[in-house]
Amino acid sequence: AQQNVHALMLLSDVPTPSFIIDLQALRRIAEPPLNDNGDIPSIRCPKNNLLLQPISNTKRNNKVIDCQFPTVEGQQAIGYLHTTVTRGRDDAIPDEDEPISTFLAEVDLDPTLCRNDAHLVLGLNNHHVGSYYWARSAGAGSSMEAPGVGYGSSKSNSKGVLRWLDEGGPTACNSNDGKRSEWVNFLRRHDTVQLLPNDGQDTLLEFYKRQSLSRIDEDRKGEENTSTRIFGISNEGRPMGSEPAVVCEWRCILEEGI
């Protein structure tokens, strides 16, 4: 039932950067429990009084659940940052991307949106890995860290940069982890990846601030606001390893002053 909302929209169709909520993971921790009929709840962030409300064209209900967006090793994450690669290793720019030997990719996710505190994970729609890893990326595997890969700010703009933490790159960073980060060497422009924010509530607050600024610009310039959106995805009813479907979108409001 959920997939009827955006029947033809998959994760790769989502604009970036965006915040992605895994509805199946959310359902597992929800209090009070959510039913399985496809209804979309509102989500409250207790840390900062943000409320995520389903946009009206989704099948919504009156439930409001609290979610702290926990990140627990070995458990399926709830919130991800979805971003597009704007430059790969072959597009490295001397001086700007030094040291070139560790540069992996530039992405369109501004590190300030996650307060410079996120890490790359195997992800929800990784096409650089074989079927074995893709199957593992379903469920808890999607939030498995890509070890040895750091995320930080670009020297020349507001985009983010992925790079090896060690000069030895994949050799030094993949010794005993099943080569979970070797695929990052092959990222190319227009690929999409996901990062896991270490504090999802803080990240959503930054998204809210960015949305507010975008709405002001939209009013001034008459342009459509398409930035920093929040989407819900699900693999329910889809083949193992297939790309998640987009089933809803939320808007973010502040219930009261922080």
Side-chain angles (χ1 to χ4, degrees):
Q2 290 177 342
Q3 295 179 16
N4 290 335
V5 177
H6 293 275
L8 299 178
M9 191 173 185
L10 300 176
L11 180 58
S12 58
D13 300 317
V14 167
T16 59
S18 54
F19 194 95
I20 301 297
I21 296 176
D22 186 331
L23 278 168
Q24 291 167 286
L26 179 68
R27 184 173 286 116
R28 280 194 279 273
I29 62 98
E31 291 293 341
L34 295 175
N35 57 37
D36 202 24
N37 65 359
D39 288 356
I40 308 299
S42 295
I43 303 170
R44 179 185 293 113
C45 297
K47 180 178 181 179
N48 50 32
N49 297 317
L50 283 177
L51 182 66
L52 277 59
Q53 292 184 325
I55 290 179
S56 57
N57 65 340
T58 64
K59 184 180 179 183
R60 59 186 296 180
N61 60 33
N62 294 321
K63 285 188 177 179
V64 179
I65 62 171
D66 286 350
C67 183
Q68 299 183 26
F69 294 91
T71 55
V72 180
E73 186 174 358
Q75 294 185 16
Q76 188 173 1
I78 298 171
Y80 298 82
L81 290 160
H82 183 57
T83 181
T84 296
V85 174
T86 52
R87 289 190 292 117
R89 295 187 74 187
D90 294 341
D91 307 311
I93 301 172
D95 297 327
E96 181 177 330
D97 296 322
E98 298 292 345
I100 298 293
S101 60
T102 62
F103 177 81
L104 287 166
E106 178 189 75
V107 295
D108 65 0
L109 176 67
D110 183 346
T112 62
L113 277 171
C114 57
R115 300 187 178 180
N116 293 281
D117 196 9
H119 58 270
L120 184 70
V121 292
L122 188 58
L124 298 157
N125 63 337
N126 191 336
H127 69 270
H128 284 287
V129 295
S131 57
Y132 168 68
Y133 280 109
W134 203 346
R136 282 182 63 185
S137 71
S142 60
S143 50
M144 291 171 64
E145 183 177 6
V149 178
Y151 167 69
S153 300
S154 169
K155 294 179 181 179
S156 61
N157 54 43
S158 61
K159 294 179 180 177
V161 170
L162 299 172
R163 63 173 64 248
W164 291 116
L165 298 175
D166 189 288
E167 287 281 351
T171 302
C173 299
N174 284 283
S175 56
N176 293 304
D177 58 31
K179 299 189 180 299
R180 290 206 316 264
S181 49
E182 190 176 45
W183 58 272
V184 189
N185 280 309
F186 306 102
L187 289 175
R188 297 292 181 265
R189 189 181 179 204
H190 302 310
D191 286 342
T192 55
V193 296
Q194 289 82 46
L195 290 90
L196 195 61
N198 289 331
D199 193 318
Q201 295 182 90
D202 283 348
T203 297
L204 283 166
L205 179 59
E206 296 302 323
F207 267 62
Y208 167 78
K209 293 176 180 176
R210 191 69 57 90
Q211 285 178 336
S212 298
L213 291 174
S214 296
R215 279 193 290 269
I216 292 172
D217 289 341
E218 178 186 354
D219 292 340
R220 288 175 178 172
K221 301 177 183 179
E223 297 175 352
E224 181 182 3
N225 175 19
T226 59
S227 67
T228 58
R229 292 161 67 180
I230 305 164
F231 295 93
I233 55 99
S234 175
N235 270 314
E236 184 179 346
R238 296 183 59 73
M240 180 64 128
S242 63
E243 189 172 358
V246 178
V247 296
C248 65
E249 182 176 359
W250 287 273
R251 63 172 174 266
C252 198
I253 65 172
L254 194 59
E255 287 194 296
E256 57 187 70
I258 295 177

